Amino acid sequence: MSIEKNELHPRNKHRSRYDFPELIKKLPELRPFVAVNPYGDESIDFSNPMAVRLLNQALLKHFYQIDHWDIPEGYLCPPIPGRADYVHYLADLLASVNAGAVPQGGKIKGLDIGIGANCIYPIIGHQEYGWSFVGSDVDSYAIKSAKNLATINPALSASVFPRLQAHKNQIFKGILKPGELFDFTMCNPPFHASAEEASAGSQRKVRNLGTQRGKTPVLNFGGQQAELWCEGGEVGFIRKMIQESETIGKQCFWFSTLVSKSMHLPFIYTALDRVNPVQIRTIEMAQGQKISRFLAWTFLTTEEQERWKADRWSPKK
């Protein structure tokens, strides 16, 4: 009998415990990394980067029909259940202004700010809802990896388009083309304000996993500089995103970003007040003991939203 993780979104495919026998069928290479833990359950050592990477490969094969997935050494290997939650709650956000129906298909276009080498949000968003994606990143090697993933997986090749952000101090500028429209943006911003802060966070993560005591910490989920930290940290990054969003406010229906720490919300709300969006939403998501959230805002008036939906979301179009 599978035990559901009731805190995950109802449509999240990862609400049950990992079915390791089934995952091993999909990816036999995972077998050596699976063992019975002290609680009597099959699991992997989540402090082992190779085990985490193979688990992701198996999950993507089993649940999302992605046969070819890998990332370059040292790049962020994301925990898939939490990433899926953001996608599903974003779908609910779109549905909330569309009579409860999630708009689906390739005409629904998202912008993933910081697609990374793993391409995980476009993979889940496309395989679950048929959406198409542009993904931006300041790291040319990450963009190369994401393009490769989109090319070698037929399901993604016509729907996922990574773009290099050539100007590291810009977010939307240089990515959006004139007149290009997006139904939503999404972002998992860098958490930390410096390399030292990111390193300290990694060491805490290793200690919490209860492994590798006394050793140099290994980043089980990896991460390059642009994935882990930026000047000003999370608040600084999101403030910049908000400022730039005002200049392209009519090119996107919903802007959104994850916010890792609730203590950052007052500063981000202040930044939003300065650009005066029509509507702001704060959506909470629970994953295990952790409460996370994302913020969404729109500059479209009610009339503009109705025209947008008629032009882009209507099944007849």
Side-chain angles (χ1 to χ4, degrees):
M1 183 179 71
S2 63
I3 300 174
E4 286 206 339
K5 307 170 190 172
N6 293 318
E7 64 272 10
L8 291 176
H9 189 282
R11 291 195 301 277
N12 195 319
K13 288 181 164 67
H14 311 286
R15 285 169 61 85
S16 299
R17 290 182 184 275
Y18 294 134
D19 184 343
F20 281 103
E22 195 62 36
L23 293 174
I24 289 168
K25 284 182 188 176
K26 291 289 183 180
L27 192 75
E29 298 96 315
L30 180 62
R31 184 186 302 275
F33 296 90
V34 177
V36 176
N37 64 21
Y39 302 100
D41 301 316
E42 283 189 314
S43 187
I44 64 166
D45 178 359
F46 282 93
S47 70
N48 183 329
M50 179 58 72
V52 172
R53 186 183 299 191
L54 289 170
L55 174 62
N56 274 13
Q57 288 179 355
L59 291 172
L60 290 169
K61 271 180 175 280
H62 182 63
F63 289 107
Y64 302 103
Q65 296 75 54
I66 298 298
D67 291 328
H68 309 288
W69 184 89
D70 205 354
I71 53 172
E73 190 71 33
Y75 278 76
L76 189 66
C77 188
I80 291 174
R83 298 302 197 261
D85 249 28
Y86 187 6
V87 172
H88 291 302
Y89 278 104
L90 259 178
D92 287 351
L93 176 67
L94 300 183
S96 73
V97 293
N98 194 46
V102 176
Q104 301 192 36
K107 287 192 292 187
I108 308 304
K109 190 173 180 181
L111 171 61
D112 178 12
I113 301 162
I115 188 173
N118 57 72
C119 198
I120 207 70
Y121 286 130
I123 287 173
I124 297 172
H126 179 68
Q127 295 301 87
E128 291 283 40
Y129 299 109
W131 299 335
S132 62
F133 280 85
V134 169
S136 69
D137 208 288
V138 298
D139 185 325
S140 59
Y141 200 59
I143 288 293
K144 181 180 178 181
S145 171
K147 284 182 175 178
N148 181 59
L149 289 173
T151 301
I152 64 176
N153 288 285
L156 307 177
S157 59
S159 301
V160 178
F161 306 98
R163 295 178 188 171
L164 178 67
Q165 172 55 274
H167 303 285
K168 296 193 176 185
N169 63 337
Q170 296 179 357
I171 296 175
F172 297 114
K173 294 176 185 175
I175 292 297
L176 270 74
K177 299 174 182 177
E180 188 174 27
L181 301 179
F182 287 93
D183 300 283
F184 63 89
T185 71
M186 61 191 310
C187 181
N188 185 10
F191 292 164
H192 304 292
S194 69
E196 292 75 21
E197 188 181 312
S199 177
S202 300
Q203 291 180 46
R204 281 195 302 273
K205 185 182 288 187
V206 169
R207 285 196 299 271
N208 289 340
L209 287 169
T211 58
Q212 300 181 345
R213 290 185 180 87
K215 297 181 183 178
T216 301
V218 175
L219 285 174
N220 62 324
F221 293 106
Q224 298 293 298
Q225 171 184 326
E227 296 175 309
L228 299 177
W229 70 272
C230 67
E231 187 175 346
E234 179 177 74
V235 171
F237 189 93
I238 295 174
R239 278 175 172 162
K240 177 69 174 171
M241 185 191 305
I242 290 168
Q243 290 167 4
E244 285 194 22
S245 73
E246 183 184 22
T247 67
I248 52 162
K250 304 301 183 181
Q251 287 183 251
C252 179
F253 197 122
W254 285 109
F255 296 90
S256 81
T257 181
L258 289 171
V259 182
S260 68
K261 297 179 181 177
S262 59
M263 69 177 69
H264 292 166
L265 288 172
F267 304 102
I268 297 167
Y269 290 143
T270 298
L272 281 167
D273 287 342
R274 293 194 184 109
V275 300
N276 197 31
V278 172
Q279 193 173 7
I280 300 169
R281 300 269 190 96
T282 305
I283 292 106
E284 286 202 342
M285 306 177 291
Q287 289 133 30
Q289 302 299 314
K290 180 184 175 185
I291 300 292
S292 62
R293 73 224 32 96
F294 72 89
L295 278 180
W297 62 98
T298 183
F299 295 97
L300 300 183
T301 64
T302 301
E303 294 76 13
E304 288 168 335
Q305 291 182 24
E306 292 303 316
R307 285 200 298 273
W308 183 292
K309 289 184 291 182
D311 290 341
R312 294 179 59 82
W313 296 4
S314 172
K316 299 176 184 177
K317 294 286 181 180

